Amino acid sequence: MSQDLFSARPTVLSVSDLNRSVRELLEGSIPLMWVGGEISNLTRAASGHWYFSLKDSKAQVRCVMFRSRNAYLDWQPKEGDQVEARALVSLYEARGEFQLTIEALRRAGLGALFEAYERLKAKLQQEGLFDATRKRLLPEHPRQIGIVTSPDAAALRDVITTLRRRMPGLPVVLYPTPVQGKGAAELIARAIRTASERNECDVLIVCRGGGSIEDLWQFNEEIVARAIADCPMPVVSGVGHETDFSIADFVADVRAPTPTAAAEMVSQDRSILVAQLNQLGRRLMRQMSHALAERMQKVDYLSRCLVHPGEKIRQQSELLAQVRMRLHHGMQRSLQKAQTGFAPMPQRMQMAGLRSFEIRKLRLERLAQSLQHLNPTNVLERGYSLVQTEEGLVVRNSGDLRIGETLKVTFAVGNSQVKVEKTEPGRDL
């Protein structure tokens, strides 16, 4: 029987083959999962890899997080931290040690917070509170700036220092509120609503310094997001560090990576404005000098064209004297010609002139006699009279008269008024 056992020659695995088979079995049968526990025995190797154990009250497991993965963390874990690890179950073949290969790491409890964050973000986004169309531009030159934060916060000092450096004398109104702790979200929202009701600033900064996700969670609350959305003035959110994103950042008109950056966004740099003003002043002086030089040249040109009134009068006087002299000479020449033309005329021309005069005189006398015959006064001299109505119309027919009508009778000498007592119709001539 023993002889048969030795003759069967069963397959014998090496330790390496065994460990590799176990590793492949573990990695192939157990999916990627989240495991929670407390960090202990944390070691950061020179290679950049992290080695530690995750433990609870009853057990522990070895873990490794390679440099290619831990480089993405924005925080540094330490001994005693309660964490949640996204891990792949595996086996370290060289030692046959069961271990977890960590893909991602977060503080314990962040899973529920992250889910709440995503739910609220999706809800407000669907309502349109994140739309770019509702975002307002920041005023270029605000007259007064409001700040919602804690009076004791380092963020407030950073904002004030930045504003004083960039634009000294710019008025600032603080709306104080706690920025972390129980009930802080309601107080932050109340401070924002106070700023909205008073409406005394041109832009509002809502800010606080960096911290853990729990510290910044007040700015992920719906009450704060809606207070920012309802604010009548532009709102700049400067919460946490550059890598921190809150719901307030998405609702605000502008998101600043830090409180200091928020102060820079809402204020102009006085030194730059002064430099621009000086540049504009120099440009204005150059343009004024150029325009003045052009006007001076134009004045010089016009002055050369301009004649003094006295000189103008003198020139006109000379011209008038010349015209007078030419007129005098012309009249003398004309007179001389006239005298030469009328010097003793022949007798025949004189007789012709006399005959022409006599003929015209006789014609005039005949026309005068004819006109005298047409004179109505001459008719009246022969005993006729002129009868007219009161309106001055000449009466030619007795049938046109009315009994009692007053008539005007004009004689050769004088006139009289008569009344019609009787009319006798006559025949037309």
Side-chain angles (χ1 to χ4, degrees), residues 23-78:
R23 179 182 63 80
E24 292 174 353
L25 178 62
L26 291 173
E27 293 178 357
S29 60
I30 302 177
L32 200 64
M33 65 181 69
W34 284 95
V35 180
E38 177 185 334
I39 292 180
S40 65
N41 302 320
L42 176 62
T43 300
R44 294 181 175 87
S47 61
H49 306 325
W50 293 351
Y51 300 96
F52 56 91
S53 295
L54 278 182
K55 68 177 183 178
D56 58 20
S57 59
K58 298 180 180 179
Q60 66 177 7
V61 62
R62 293 290 300 169
C63 302
V64 59
M65 190 171 191
F66 297 113
R67 182 179 61 183
S68 59
R69 293 298 181 180
N70 63 45
Y72 291 103
L73 286 185
D74 58 357
W75 59 284
Q76 292 293 320
K78 61 182 183 298

Side-chain angles (χ1 to χ4, degrees), residues 41-297:
N41 302 320
L42 176 62
T43 300
R44 294 181 175 87
S47 61
H49 306 325
W50 293 351
Y51 300 96
F52 56 91
S53 295
L54 278 182
K55 68 177 183 178
D56 58 20
S57 59
K58 298 180 180 179
Q60 66 177 7
V61 62
R62 293 290 300 169
C63 302
V64 59
M65 190 171 191
F66 297 113
R67 182 179 61 183
S68 59
R69 293 298 181 180
N70 63 45
Y72 291 103
L73 286 185
D74 58 357
W75 59 284
Q76 292 293 320
K78 61 182 183 298
E79 291 282 337
D81 282 351
Q82 293 291 332
V83 298
E84 294 172 350
R86 190 165 183 260
L88 179 68
V89 176
S90 183
L91 183 79
Y92 182 44
E93 295 181 25
R95 294 187 179 180
E97 293 180 352
F98 173 75
Q99 67 176 17
L100 300 180
T101 302
I102 307 301
E103 298 290 324
L105 195 66
R106 67 190 183 195
R107 297 183 178 91
L110 293 188
L113 291 178
F114 184 74
E115 290 177 2
Y117 172 90
E118 289 296 330
R119 283 195 303 271
L120 179 59
K121 181 180 176 182
K123 175 184 176 181
L124 299 182
Q125 187 171 14
Q126 187 175 7
E127 292 182 17
L129 268 63
F130 301 167
D131 290 351
T133 55
R134 63 172 297 277
K135 305 291 185 180
R136 293 162 293 188
L137 296 176
L138 300 182
E140 188 173 0
H141 299 285
R143 293 169 296 178
Q144 188 159 271
I145 294 175
I147 304 175
V148 173
T149 192
S150 171
D152 302 324
L156 177 62
R157 293 192 296 271
D158 294 341
V159 170
I160 296 299
T161 301
T162 303
L163 293 177
R164 286 178 178 173
R165 171 175 53 83
R166 291 174 60 85
M167 187 58 68
L170 181 63
V172 174
V173 177
L174 175 63
Y175 302 95
T177 176
V179 291
Q180 71 180 58
K182 186 177 181 180
E186 288 76 9
L187 297 176
I188 294 171
R190 184 184 302 172
I192 295 173
R193 285 195 295 268
T194 299
S196 300
E197 293 168 0
R198 289 165 60 173
N199 199 20
E200 57 192 338
C201 300
D202 298 319
V203 62
L204 185 67
I205 297 176
V206 178
C207 65
R208 69 146 290 160
S212 65
I213 188 170
E214 294 88 350
D215 296 336
L216 303 179
W217 189 255
Q218 309 301 328
F219 296 90
N220 290 322
E221 295 286 352
E222 183 173 0
I223 188 172
V224 174
R226 296 200 179 278
I228 292 175
D230 295 337
C231 186
M233 67 197 76
V235 177
V236 179
S237 173
V239 178
H241 297 305
E242 188 169 357
T243 57
D244 298 321
F245 280 86
S246 65
I247 297 295
D249 293 333
F250 295 110
V251 180
D253 296 284
V254 178
R255 183 236 176 206
T258 62
T260 299
E264 293 176 348
M265 288 180 177
V266 302
S267 63
Q268 293 282 348
D269 192 334
R270 182 179 180 275
S271 60
I272 295 177
L273 292 179
V274 171
Q276 292 175 348
L277 183 61
N278 292 335
Q279 183 179 4
L280 292 175
R282 291 190 295 268
R283 184 185 303 174
L284 180 61
M285 289 299 298
R286 287 195 300 269
Q287 292 178 349
M288 290 178 61
S289 299
H290 179 68
L292 183 60
E294 286 187 345
R295 300 300 189 279
M296 291 176 64
Q297 291 180 2

Side-chain angles (χ1 to χ4, degrees), residues 235-378:
V235 177
V236 179
S237 173
V239 178
H241 297 305
E242 188 169 357
T243 57
D244 298 321
F245 280 86
S246 65
I247 297 295
D249 293 333
F250 295 110
V251 180
D253 296 284
V254 178
R255 183 236 176 206
T258 62
T260 299
E264 293 176 348
M265 288 180 177
V266 302
S267 63
Q268 293 282 348
D269 192 334
R270 182 179 180 275
S271 60
I272 295 177
L273 292 179
V274 171
Q276 292 175 348
L277 183 61
N278 292 335
Q279 183 179 4
L280 292 175
R282 291 190 295 268
R283 184 185 303 174
L284 180 61
M285 289 299 298
R286 287 195 300 269
Q287 292 178 349
M288 290 178 61
S289 299
H290 179 68
L292 183 60
E294 286 187 345
R295 300 300 189 279
M296 291 176 64
Q297 291 180 2
K298 188 174 182 179
V299 169
D300 292 341
Y301 172 76
L302 294 176
S303 64
R304 290 193 296 269
C305 299
L306 183 64
V307 179
H308 192 276
E311 179 64 19
K312 192 71 174 179
I313 293 174
R314 187 187 64 78
Q315 293 176 359
Q316 294 293 334
S317 298
E318 291 179 355
L319 179 61
L320 183 61
Q322 293 175 3
V323 172
R324 186 184 295 114
M325 185 175 296
R326 288 198 299 270
L327 181 60
H328 178 70
H329 292 330
M331 291 178 63
Q332 286 184 343
R333 287 195 298 269
S334 299
L335 184 59
Q336 290 175 357
K337 289 181 181 179
Q339 290 176 352
T340 303
F342 288 101
M345 292 187 302
Q347 187 69 27
R348 187 171 52 188
M349 293 180 64
Q350 292 182 1
M351 292 300 294
L354 290 174
R355 283 196 301 272
S356 176
F357 178 75
E358 289 296 333
I359 291 171
R360 285 173 172 76
K361 180 179 180 183
L362 290 173
R363 183 180 297 173
L364 182 61
E365 288 176 353
R366 286 196 297 270
L367 291 173
Q369 289 177 359
S370 299
L371 185 62
Q372 188 65 26
H373 289 317
L374 297 174
N375 189 350
T377 305
N378 294 335

